[in-house]
Amino acid sequence: MSANAAQLSDLTIQTGHELYPDFSPTTYDYSCYVHFDCCEVRVYPQTPDKSMQTAVNDASFSEPVMLNVGETVVIIKVTSADGANTQVYTINVTREPVPLAVMFCDVRDQMEYECPISLSALYKPVSIHQSEPKIIFSAPYIDMLTRRSKVDPFTERPLGEGWKVLESELDRRMSNAPVKCFFSYRGCRKQMRYAEIGAHAKDCRYKPSSDLDSVEVTETNWYRKYVASSSNLEIMTDHTLEIRNWEKRLQTAFGEHDVDSLIAHAEEHFKLYKKRLPNPGDMMQYDPGQSPLDDLEQAAIHYATAIKVKPHDAELHFRLGQTLEEHYYATEMYGLKKETQEDDQDLGQAKYAGRQEEILAICRLHGFPGTLTTENQLKALDMEIQDLKQQGQSAKADYVQTLFLWLSKKAGKDGSSVVSDEKCWLFRALLKYLDACSLNADSWEYNLHLGRLLLLQGTSNEALQHLQTALGLQPCQPAIRFYTGLALLQQKEMTVTCEHEVVLWLQQGLENIMAQFFASHYYKEREQLDTGHDWSVMNAQFLRGCLSLAALLSKNSFSDLTMSPEQVYHMYVTQTNTLNLCNTISGLAAQGISRCVNQGEVLQQLEWVLLDAHFALLQGLIQQEGDGKQPWIVKRCQAITALIRLSSIGPCRELLDLQEKVCQMGVLVVPRCSRALCLLGLAQLAQSDSHSAAERGQAALANACLSFQASIELEGSHQTGEPPEQLTKQTWWKDHLDAEKDKKVKHETPEPKPAVESSEAPADGKKLARSRGAPARGIATSIAKTSAPTRVNRTATAAKHMPQLARSRAGGHLVTKSDGAGKAAGNSSIKAQTSPCKSRQQQSPLQDKPTSEVKVGKQDNDSTVLTALNEKSYVPRLGLARALARTTDSQKQACHFYQEVIDMAPEVHDAYIELASLLLKDDALAAVDVYSRFPLKPVCEQTFDDAFITGEIVHILMKHELYEHPQLLPNLVAHGKVMGLGCLEKYIGALEGRLMTNLLRRVYAGIHDKSEDDEELQDFFRFKCWI
Ligand SMILES: [Zn+2]
């Protein structure tokens, strides 16, 4: 070694951790993943020569490096023997996120370090470049959201290159902030740095024990009555064992008659399946026979064949059931599908776009404006059918009838006739569990799984019988207790003692899962834990149960050792770690093929859980005492609105109502905040779209205009002062004021209630809406989803297929009920209720103390939001333009605001597209002029979004036969280059017909980047007779 060489000969990190990639002296950047309880790492650099100097983070390497919560960069510097040269190696150490939500000791920390998406402490904090105000997100969640739509979730601004700014300084600060122990609710008083909480929790003596006390079960009434007296639960299940056709098709494992070896094969395949499951970000391409689904199918085949040999072996039936249930998750969560099905889908999607376009054309014909709900689309189609029939055009009417059927089938309106494969899997699994149970009624496992699936199907009576049987057999099993608690919760009558049982058992189930987090230390183990879907944090049924627990806890104060409702909500909101995982997987799964994403119902259920939790937390925050919360509330309102906008949940009434309610809450807190008013306007506009012609739709449209106008008017002014006039004119605002007044008159200590209640939609309607997936997401979709090159795609999301059966939000009954009761009763009557029991039900789950309320126009001295100036933004103008464009009278004004948007934010495609389509009716050239103003990048950098614009220009000019127009040539070239020559085919044909050979030659030359004199091209032109 020469004296000026600076190089390491080896680099290791303390035992148990590995560097990626493997060390090589000339590789300078490494990464390393560690468990969340790891607080520090030691790094051991070795030099080939003793005289070289090394330093780790500018210190002697013998000292350990303290780790941040998220990422820590370790810099190893090696200096040559003569001191002339240095070389730097870096290790990026990433800590796994702590699985539970932390509570900071200081509420200011809690506010500052809250990720707006997960509502728990930030993890790997990042901000968006030049966003104003600066909002910090956890990296995994902002990644998830921006994968769906490449916009800033809060402002909807398109994101440029390098938008992500790492906030490592904040990570360091946050890591040192004091937090409370996860188990403070169980009595632990210890406080520590955030960075140390994982390590503490592992050894905390207050950690819930995994051993449950059987007395809690054996002392219950039902146990004494049924199990202890050995009179056994009579289960009224009428079930006969039979081999069904689909099972026969599975019994195809050849040459094997030995049950043991069939089982061994099945197990082998099941293991392989788990191993092959895609990770987030994987491209899901498998060679034939190599997909995880193939393994799963093989496992099913082997079990089914074993059943053929030994039809009365209950365990075999049970295992087949598990395999089939897994099939459901494989398709729903990982987007795995059989090849043949995928081909069909591709074909389907090509047709889909065409049909959707036809439907939209018919809608325009019948005067339905804007983003259309399925309902309105169906209405328009129906009108068209009637018209055609009257005109005697029966053939055409028949065709439109097929469109009608297709659309209604797609929307799942005709109910039972659409049973998707996914549903089949769950149903088949249920049948197999039933078979197993009928063969052996004394197995707690069969009864547990049967009960669980029955509960999912909404048959809670039968479910309870099986779960109680299981519990009688195995009183200390936490999963059985949890699901029994859920089943009890769904019984019609619940006694007080029973309620205590429910709380205890739900909580024990939750704590069991919590304890598991701190029990297993290796990634591998945890992964396996997460993919066992029946008992994991990825299970929406489980999370729904936790929501119910939170609602119950807020209703009653049980013992000191129960968790506070906040804790329960926060706790499972952190499960978005895993929610994010399945988001990512299902999102990426379909992305490769098309942008009409196949997002499964599991994901949607989890998203509902997240939204409901967000909403409950927002209500809780609003109702808490204390000043200075406005900025926090505003941030949460914006976050939940962003989540709704970017969610994969199909358009439905309940989502729109939630969005509107949240926006109203935001405005109530800060009535002069431009941004809050704008969001409210967007929500109102979406409502008006979904109601369209109806009176309510008109009112919503008028409100939307008012809200946008207020938002624009308040730009540049302070957020303190009287609420704007445009707001006080709105009915809901007046209603709210009246309600507040009423409350003060009638009660000295006002009954708590959710801050805003829409007085419409009775409880049943609400539940129905969600389970049906009623149409309409409205403007929310059209704003956020700007990435598709055709307009059709954008609206297509409004007509998503919504499966019905398993939409059930197991365990959500209580929450729904309390919401619904409030709604049905209307605003004023809520307060008139006197029965203490009833009014309790109407509390928001989070609210303990019936003390505070939102005061309209309440002013605070120290809050930053109120002293802040309202920013100027194009968003309310775009919203106002859209609202105005809905009515013919105000379309001129709409044009004006579209122009303003284009001036303020020239990069926003939507404004050009919508303005041009407004102008197109009367003045095609004006529309072309609008499109031509779009600042197109050089052709080689143009995206599909840009191609939409060039395509429209070409389309309009060609349609009006304006072949000499100067915009035609450049846009033909640009469009052809991005979309391919095939897209120009019909135009080329038309131009040939007109003998526009000069233009054609230039187009071809332009697309091929060649000069017209190019020899090859010349040959081609001669062949085409263009010269
Ligand atoms: Zn502790």
Side-chain angles (χ1 to χ4, degrees), residues 630 664-673 719-724 727-728 732-733 736-737 740 744 853-861 863 866:
Q630 277 89 342
Q664 287 175 349
M665 288 162 94
V667 168
L668 282 171
V669 173
V670 195
R672 287 174 64 87
C673 171
Q719 296 183 348
T720 43
E722 290 298 305
L727 191 58
T728 51
W732 69 269
W733 177 272
H736 179 80
L737 282 190
E740 292 291 310
K744 271 175 206 141
E853 70 199 57
V854 188
K855 292 203 184 70
V856 177
K858 182 176 170 186
Q859 288 173 27
D860 258 300
N861 306 330
S863 95
L866 296 183

Side-chain angles (χ1 to χ4, degrees), residues 880-898:
L880 184 55
R882 282 174 173 159
L884 292 169
R886 297 283 191 274
T887 23
T888 343
D889 300 348
S890 51
Q891 281 178 355
K892 263 228 156 68
Q893 281 169 281
C895 292
H896 164 76
F897 283 104
Y898 277 125

Side-chain angles (χ1 to χ4, degrees), residues 119-270:
L119 296 190
S120 55
L122 290 161
Y123 174 66
K124 297 210 259 177
V126 295
S127 61
I128 291 171
H129 182 58
Q130 286 184 334
S131 67
E132 190 55 48
K134 182 161 134 185
I135 308 254
I136 300 180
F137 299 88
S138 297
Y141 307 134
I142 188 73
D143 287 349
M144 160 189 97
L145 289 182
T146 50
R147 249 193 300 272
R148 290 187 186 162
S149 177
K150 214 162 162 50
V151 295
D152 179 334
F154 277 47
T155 63
E156 289 127 43
R157 279 219 173 240
L159 297 173
E161 288 294 308
W163 56 271
K164 208 194 270 185
V165 184
L166 295 179
E167 299 282 341
S168 31
E169 164 56 25
L170 183 134
D171 199 2
R172 201 191 51 73
R173 234 176 342 114
M174 179 175 67
S175 303
N176 286 313
V179 297
K180 294 177 195 156
C181 175
F182 294 130
F183 307 116
S184 57
Y185 76 96
R186 295 177 64 93
C188 182
R189 296 277 165 262
K190 210 162 161 25
Q191 299 188 349
M192 63 230 90
R193 298 188 310 124
Y194 181 17
E196 290 161 349
I197 192 170
H200 166 79
K202 217 181 75 191
D203 302 321
C204 179
R205 66 192 178 88
Y206 291 94
K207 186 171 73 175
S209 147
S210 50
D211 299 324
L212 297 176
D213 189 351
S214 65
V215 171
E216 287 157 358
V217 169
T218 53
E219 289 296 298
T220 57
N221 287 335
W222 71 263
Y223 187 90
R224 277 197 225 115
K225 194 166 158 199
Y226 297 110
V227 188
S229 72
S230 80
S231 70
N232 256 332
L233 282 161
E234 281 294 313
I235 295 182
M236 309 292 287
T237 312
D238 188 18
H239 182 72
T240 38
L241 191 64
E242 58 173 323
I243 298 294
R244 296 154 196 96
N245 281 333
W246 54 266
E247 277 186 88
K248 277 189 198 134
R249 283 199 295 275
L250 281 175
Q251 299 174 337
T252 53
F254 291 116
E256 289 283 1
H257 300 287
D258 175 31
V259 171
D260 287 340
S261 83
L262 281 167
I263 293 176
H265 275 117
E267 282 172 350
E268 194 60 32
H269 280 294
F270 199 82

